[in-house]
Amino acid sequence: MFNYLKQVSLSRGGWFLLLISCLAFEAAGLYFQHVMKLEPCVMCIYERVAILGIALAALIGLIAPHFLLIRLSALIIGLFSAVQGLLLAVRHTDYQLNPNPWDQCPLMVDFPATLPLNKWFPQVFEAYGSCSELQWSFLGFAMPQWLIVVFAAYVLVLGGVLLSQLKPTRRRQRTLFK
């Protein structure tokens, strides 16, 4: 399995597939917000940023997957973003399943002054919903619960690919004088 994962990480196809999946999730989030008129909360916005972090990692890996340093950088950025997204989704689920007046999400997003995404792109990164409000569910699970599944899958795949980098690449045998 690790041989296969390493071979996938050495090709642009795997990185492209990762990028497409992230863009699909971002498009779904924007669809929920702008077409279905669901109000995104602060945790929703942070989860979107985590998906964008994985997409950034996919772009980095797509540049030059045969260079170990670039591939490792992409995997570390992607795995970090996936773990952060998983932690955010778990916390968001806790806000929805156990609403407490003393434990609530912030009212406004808090991006660094050097990267004020909510000021640059308010239609995408501005939060105006409540984290504890359940606005949408599918098969009995709310959106943050589905995001736990999504981010856990990203963690497993990116973690497996990162571990596969420790496996040495097999060199092909010369068959000319065999």
Side-chain angles (χ1 to χ4, degrees), residues 54-123:
I54 299 169
L56 174 68
L59 279 174
I60 293 171
L62 196 59
I63 291 171
H66 286 289
F67 292 109
L68 180 65
L69 186 61
I70 290 176
R71 199 169 58 245
L72 287 178
S73 299
L75 287 169
I76 290 169
I77 291 169
L79 189 59
F80 176 78
S81 296
V83 167
Q84 291 302 313
L86 180 61
L87 295 174
L88 286 166
V90 167
R91 193 165 162 207
H92 192 181
T93 300
D94 185 49
Y95 286 146
Q96 286 190 344
L97 296 180
N98 305 311
N100 295 318
W102 58 85
D103 187 24
Q104 295 182 0
C105 68
L107 296 175
M108 296 172 48
V109 291
D110 186 25
F111 289 116
T114 56
L115 194 67
L117 295 174
N118 59 329
K119 303 284 190 258
W120 294 345
F121 306 105
Q123 64 276 15

Side-chain angles (χ1 to χ4, degrees), residues 127-143:
Y128 44 88
S130 171
C131 291
S132 58
E133 183 182 344
L134 191 106
Q135 298 181 43
W136 178 88
S137 68
F138 179 68
L139 297 177
F141 295 107
M143 196 173 305

